[in-house]
Amino acid sequence: MPEIHRLDSRDTHFAARLDALLAWESVADAAVTATVNEILAAVRTRGDAALLEYTARFDRLNLTCGADLEIPQARLRQALDDIPAAQREALETSAARIRAYAERQRLDSWQYTEADGTVLGQQVSPLDRVGLYVPGGKAAYPSSVLMNAIPAKVAGVGELVMVVPTPGGELNELVLAAAAVAGVDRVFALGGAQAVAALAYGTETVPAVDKIVGPGNIYVAAAKRQVYGTVGIDMIAGPSEILVVCDGLTDPHWIAVDLFSQAEHDEDAQAILLCPNADYIDRVAAAMDELLADMPRADIIRTSLRVRGALIRVRDLDEAVTLANHIAPEHLELSVADPDALAARIHHAGAMFLGRHTAEALGDYCAGPNHVLPTSRTARFSSPLGVYDFQKRASIIHCSAEGARVLGRTASTLARGEGLIAHARSAEYRVSDEATD
Amino acid sequence: MPEIHRLDSRDTHFAARLDALLAWESVADAAVTATVNEILAAVRTRGDAALLEYTARFDRLNLTCGADLEIPQARLRQALDDIPAAQREALETSAARIRAYAERQRLDSWQYTEADGTVLGQQVSPLDRVGLYVPGGKAAYPSSVLMNAIPAKVAGVGELVMVVPTPGGELNELVLAAAAVAGVDRVFALGGAQAVAALAYGTETVPAVDKIVGPGNIYVAAAKRQVYGTVGIDMIAGPSEILVVCDGLTDPHWIAVDLFSQAEHDEDAQAILLCPNADYIDRVAAAMDELLADMPRADIIRTSLRVRGALIRVRDLDEAVTLANHIAPEHLELSVADPDALAARIHHAGAMFLGRHTAEALGDYCAGPNHVLPTSRTARFSSPLGVYDFQKRASIIHCSAEGARVLGRTASTLARGEGLIAHARSAEYRVSDEATD
């Protein structure tokens, strides 16, 4: 039977044990930060030359000029043409659903007019240019290309620039095909902190962007944190998590493999079950035991469950809701008879999967909502990636002459209270003006 | 005549000179970062004891226990009762307008049902607890208390915790009164990185919050950057800026003092005028000369204008729009005959002030839209502070049995393409299920 923490909410020290299990801190150590700062500075000052050097060193890819870094559109199209038809259809089905959901998220401009003719509002614009980081190697997921790129395109972003490392020159055909499906505008064979630097500062070949999104390793995360301010970033993601709340009436094999589907991501991933029924928990454990051998990533699953996984017996579903709000999970499956009643009481989660049929995996790939979600309890204050992350607002203030006279008095009083006399005088000019609109 | 950069867009090297003027990098040096990290670690591990030590050292305030740090609600109420009636009325008028605008920004939950009964949606919740940093000393602005606190309360934040340094025990009555008007729940006499640490990690006395907003000095900014991830933060603000686009038909005294109103904030603030009329620019310069002597903060204004200010002659208003989008200013005054036509073509600005009567100062205090705005060209990718900064979304996915069967096939294909077999199996269980809803 795979080793996994077994907790009961009635245990003394339960809260402390749970918090110890949840604790996660992805701190880049001083060595990582120093390396990243050096790479950022080199790319910023030496541009393409530095990019080519780092790409030769880290990706074993020797290119002669900056232009060689670009993977042309024709190559993306070729990948899409060459992959099996079933995969192409799945990518296109998924893309269509992600797009349909994203369309509902788009923010619109608005304004209103007050009695004296003063207009207030909010004008929404898309970002001009966005960079999308796509990891290479084992974490190269075409689904992530769709999830990051499509909301940006729906927002109306002018140019979407993707970077993806190609160690030893190896291209991931599904990733390229996904880029073609999503409408990515330009792709560069770049990874690591040097790719983040190129997107943030621009080089002779890579255009500077306004925001960088997409997951990456610790160097990529540290680089994104450093360039935040010069450009926007999405979030600093921790390991993936699932919390399953089950009433004990779902097929235990379904729950077992739902927990596996998170645990298989990597050794730090976290899979937790909350259930009021101790017998059912044992049946899930038995199903895990039965199914684990079939899993190609069994070693990863085993480590993840042993280190960070838990089967937790709770008093009842009310307590499960309280704990779920404390855990603020990235993914929350509500595998219960009346999931709507529970969902209405959840305040902190990245995405909720309601009912026994809604496996998290359906949301990971094709239900429509984004799979880029807040991890490590950050759902307390942040949201899934969405169209709104690629739009921004500008406030609109258009005072009528009459409106300015009235507001100017209030502004003058407050400005003088703060000792800001130029502010006060600026407001007072509009108070004393005799103009009418 | 105050010294200020004079540029013409027809000059050779104009673009480079403009970019040099705009360049701003608020990098915390290694010494600041080391100090901040030490303070964060001390407060995290030693709680109140560390807070009391730092408050004694940095704010010359010797308190005996954590509870002494709290400024009680009765003290806020007393401040509101004791300030002059005109100031109280101005605060309340301003608060009502900020609230009315904020109400329009609130995000709502939504969902939709697909043909097969699958429900997709987005559930919006307020943050549980938010921390508001208010600077002490010369930058203690009651208007900022209103602008930060009111959107949080409109969002439905459960508890709003304010920190404000009180050097030598000195309280700012207007700041306390503003906290009372805005409905701040708790106030602590704390400042600097130690205040940020207390809010991020919690101590025996100060409750841990989910997000920290509000401006501060370089130590506060560095501390916010460090705790980002543990809690949310609003933004790392640079010096304030105004860009005025004028057609040359506004009273030049108005424009002069509008530029002053930004320059008086601090020596790093930036005030720029774009105008196609060289004679008019000279008249603005003459008005500046005439008015400067009257300004109590003339020394700050003079330095700000000399170092970072500019009067720029442009070819026409079309070019002014292009430059404004490049500059992406925090504040953009469109002091022209038809400001709506120009505003529609502005994609990057924090707030736009339309027409000759809309002085930026009116927006700073009481027009309604927030005065916490993206600086240093970050309007390319970020928005004014708003109600939406105190709400977050959770995705909702509720598949019908039929919906899960269809989606499961697509998910399985993509999961197998990514080599994630537990994901595939999780989806496939729902495909093979015979249930109906």
Side-chain angles (χ1 to χ4, degrees):
Chain A
M1 201 158 292
E3 200 182 331
I4 184 166
H5 298 269
R6 300 284 286 256
L7 306 181
D8 189 310
S9 66
R10 295 168 188 83
D11 294 344
T12 41
H13 310 305
F14 167 73
R17 288 185 64 196
L18 177 62
D19 282 346
L21 206 56
L22 297 175
W24 180 264
E25 212 154 354
S26 62
V27 173
D29 64 20
V32 169
T33 305
T35 301
V36 163
N37 284 341
E38 186 189 312
I39 294 171
L40 293 175
V43 173
R44 189 172 192 176
T45 52
R46 298 195 295 115
D48 281 353
L51 285 186
L52 293 170
E53 285 168 26
Y54 288 121
T55 300
R57 191 193 310 173
F58 297 128
D59 290 339
R60 308 176 311 284
L61 189 62
N62 289 292
L63 303 171
T64 51
C65 70
D68 293 346
L69 291 166
E70 186 153 8
I71 301 173
Q73 283 289 329
R75 183 66 187 78
L76 310 187
R77 176 58 49 185
Q78 181 201 323
L80 184 60
D81 289 342
D82 289 354
I83 60 172
Q87 287 189 339
R88 178 175 178 153
E89 193 190 318
L91 283 177
E92 287 173 344
T93 299
S94 172
R97 293 189 60 88
I98 296 167
R99 199 172 290 121
Y101 183 85
E103 298 278 1
R104 309 240 175 184
Q105 290 184 320
R106 199 161 30 202
L107 306 173
D108 292 317
S109 301
W110 50 262
Q111 60 176 48
Y112 59 98
T113 305
E114 301 189 304
D116 63 19
T118 294
V119 175
L120 300 177
Q122 193 171 271
Q123 181 168 308
V124 177
S125 307
L127 275 64
D128 280 347
R129 196 186 278 136
V130 166
L132 165 55
Y133 190 94
V134 176
K138 68 172 177 174
Y141 296 140
S143 56
S144 287
V145 175
L146 301 183
M147 292 288 183
N148 281 276
I150 291 172
K153 297 303 282 190
V154 169
V157 165
E159 190 173 39
L160 184 56
V161 181
M162 178 173 130
V163 291
V164 57
T166 58
E170 197 182 339
L171 298 168
N172 181 320
E173 298 298 322
L174 273 175
V175 163
L176 297 184
V181 168
V184 170
D185 296 290
R186 298 183 73 181
V187 180
F188 295 93
L190 279 171
Q194 62 272 22
V196 174
L199 292 171
Y201 306 124
T203 70
E204 301 90 321
T205 299
V206 182
V209 302
D210 299 303
K211 184 169 187 168
I212 301 174
V213 300
N217 64 19
I218 188 78
Y219 291 92
V220 172
K224 280 169 67 180
R225 189 184 281 268
Q226 289 300 319
V227 300
Y228 172 60
T230 301
V231 296
I233 62 171
D234 50 347
M235 55 180 82
I236 309 284
S240 196
E241 319 139 15
I242 189 171
L243 179 69
V244 179
V245 173
C246 184
D247 56 11
L249 298 173
T250 307
D251 183 328
H253 294 82
W254 293 21
I255 300 299
V257 82
D258 291 355
L259 295 168
F260 284 177
S261 77
Q262 205 51 237
E264 77 173 338
H265 272 296
D266 64 74
E267 290 83 354
D268 295 322
Q270 183 157 59
I272 298 179
L273 170 66
L274 302 181
C275 177
N277 183 331
D279 289 341
Y280 181 79
I281 291 175
D282 287 338
R283 281 188 283 144
V284 171
M288 284 177 153
D289 194 38
E290 177 192 334
L291 294 167
L292 187 60
D294 278 353
M295 296 291 139
R297 296 164 77 105
D299 287 346
I300 295 174
I301 294 172
R302 202 173 279 116
T303 304
S304 160
L305 293 179
R306 176 169 48 79
V307 180
R308 304 203 72 216
L311 303 176
I312 303 178
R313 185 185 170 202
V314 294
R315 289 182 179 81
D316 48 35
L317 293 179
D318 281 345
E319 190 181 41
V321 167
T322 303
L323 289 172
N325 277 322
H326 175 70
I327 294 169
E330 182 189 14
H331 304 98
L332 176 62
E333 265 189 32
L334 298 174
S335 199
V336 298
D338 184 6
D340 289 329
L342 262 58
R345 294 159 57 203
I346 297 294
H347 303 303
H348 309 302
M352 292 191 257
F353 303 82
L354 277 64
R356 308 188 202 285
H357 290 92
T358 314
E360 188 215 301
L362 305 182
D364 288 342
Y365 290 107
C366 55
N370 213 288
H371 80 193
V372 180
L373 297 166
T375 60
S376 306
R377 303 191 70 226
T378 59
R380 292 175 295 123
F381 55 82
S382 51
S383 298
L385 188 73
V387 174
Y388 39 77
D389 288 302
F390 302 102
Q391 300 181 291
K392 69 265 180 359
R393 307 156 171 100
S395 304
I396 297 281
I397 309 175
H398 190 164
C399 293
S400 65
E402 171 61 20
R405 275 192 291 272
V406 174
L407 291 178
R409 289 184 198 101
T410 298
S412 165
T413 300
L414 291 172
R416 289 183 180 275
E418 293 181 354
L420 295 177
I421 304 307
H423 283 70
R425 288 287 294 276
S426 169
E428 289 156 13
Y429 272 133
R430 276 74 175 188
V431 173
S432 59
D433 186 61
E434 307 280 310
T436 53
D437 289 298
Chain B
M1 202 157 294
E3 201 183 329
I4 185 167
H5 298 269
R6 299 286 285 257
L7 306 181
D8 190 309
S9 65
R10 295 169 188 79
D11 293 345
T12 42
H13 309 304
F14 167 71
R17 288 184 66 196
L18 178 62
D19 282 345
L21 206 55
L22 298 176
W24 180 264
E25 212 154 353
S26 62
V27 174
D29 63 21
V32 169
T33 305
T35 302
V36 164
N37 284 341
E38 186 189 312
I39 294 171
L40 293 175
V43 173
R44 189 173 191 175
T45 52
R46 297 195 296 115
D48 282 354
L51 286 185
L52 293 170
E53 285 167 27
Y54 288 121
T55 300
R57 192 193 310 172
F58 297 129
D59 290 339
R60 308 177 311 283
L61 189 60
N62 288 292
L63 303 171
T64 52
C65 71
D68 293 347
L69 291 166
E70 186 154 9
I71 301 173
Q73 283 289 329
R75 184 66 188 78
L76 310 187
R77 176 60 47 185
Q78 180 201 324
L80 184 61
D81 290 342
D82 289 354
I83 60 172
Q87 287 190 339
R88 176 174 180 153
E89 192 190 317
L91 283 177
E92 288 173 343
T93 299
S94 172
R97 293 189 60 89
I98 295 168
R99 198 172 290 121
Y101 183 84
E103 298 278 1
R104 309 238 175 186
Q105 290 184 321
R106 199 160 31 202
L107 306 174
D108 292 318
S109 302
W110 50 263
Q111 60 176 47
Y112 60 98
T113 305
E114 301 188 304
D116 63 19
T118 294
V119 175
L120 301 176
Q122 193 170 270
Q123 181 169 309
V124 177
S125 307
L127 275 62
D128 280 347
R129 197 186 276 135
V130 165
L132 165 55
Y133 190 96
V134 176
K138 69 172 178 177
Y141 296 139
S143 56
S144 287
V145 175
L146 301 183
M147 292 287 183
N148 280 277
I150 291 172
K153 298 303 281 188
V154 169
V157 166
E159 190 173 40
L160 185 57
V161 181
M162 178 172 129
V163 291
V164 57
T166 58
E170 197 182 339
L171 298 169
N172 180 321
E173 297 299 322
L174 273 175
V175 162
L176 297 185
V181 168
V184 170
D185 296 290
R186 298 183 74 181
V187 180
F188 294 95
L190 279 171
Q194 61 272 23
V196 174
L199 293 170
Y201 305 122
T203 70
E204 301 90 321
T205 299
V206 181
V209 302
D210 300 303
K211 184 168 187 168
I212 301 174
V213 300
N217 64 19
I218 189 77
Y219 290 91
V220 172
K224 280 170 66 181
R225 188 182 282 267
Q226 289 299 319
V227 300
Y228 171 59
T230 301
V231 296
I233 62 171
D234 49 347
M235 57 180 83
I236 310 282
S240 196
E241 320 138 15
I242 189 171
L243 178 69
V244 178
V245 173
C246 184
D247 57 11
L249 298 173
T250 307
D251 183 329
H253 294 82
W254 293 21
I255 299 299
V257 82
D258 292 354
L259 295 169
F260 285 178
S261 77
Q262 206 51 237
E264 77 173 338
H265 272 297
D266 65 73
E267 290 83 352
D268 295 321
Q270 183 157 59
I272 297 178
L273 169 66
L274 302 181
C275 178
N277 182 330
D279 288 342
Y280 180 79
I281 291 176
D282 287 338
R283 280 187 284 143
V284 171
M288 285 178 153
D289 194 39
E290 178 191 333
L291 294 167
L292 187 60
D294 278 353
M295 296 292 138
R297 296 166 76 104
D299 286 346
I300 295 174
I301 293 172
R302 202 173 278 115
T303 304
S304 160
L305 293 178
R306 177 169 48 77
V307 178
R308 304 203 71 216
L311 303 176
I312 303 177
R313 186 187 169 200
V314 292
R315 289 182 178 82
D316 48 37
L317 292 180
D318 282 344
E319 189 181 41
V321 167
T322 303
L323 288 172
N325 278 323
H326 175 70
I327 294 168
E330 182 190 13
H331 305 97
L332 175 62
E333 266 189 32
L334 298 174
S335 199
V336 299
D338 183 7
D340 289 328
L342 262 58
R345 294 159 55 201
I346 297 294
H347 304 303
H348 309 301
M352 292 192 259
F353 304 80
L354 277 64
R356 308 187 202 284
H357 292 90
T358 314
E360 189 214 300
L362 306 182
D364 288 342
Y365 290 107
C366 55
N370 213 289
H371 80 193
V372 180
L373 297 166
T375 59
S376 307
R377 302 191 70 228
T378 59
R380 292 176 295 125
F381 55 82
S382 52
S383 299
L385 188 73
V387 174
Y388 39 77
D389 288 303
F390 302 101
Q391 299 180 291
K392 69 269 180 358
R393 307 157 171 101
S395 304
I396 297 281
I397 309 176
H398 191 164
C399 292
S400 66
E402 171 60 21
R405 274 192 291 272
V406 174
L407 291 177
R409 288 186 199 102
T410 299
S412 166
T413 300
L414 292 172
R416 289 183 180 274
E418 293 182 353
L420 295 177
I421 305 306
H423 283 70
R425 289 286 294 275
S426 169
E428 290 155 13
Y429 272 132
R430 277 72 176 189
V431 174
S432 58
D433 185 61
E434 307 281 307
T436 54
D437 289 298

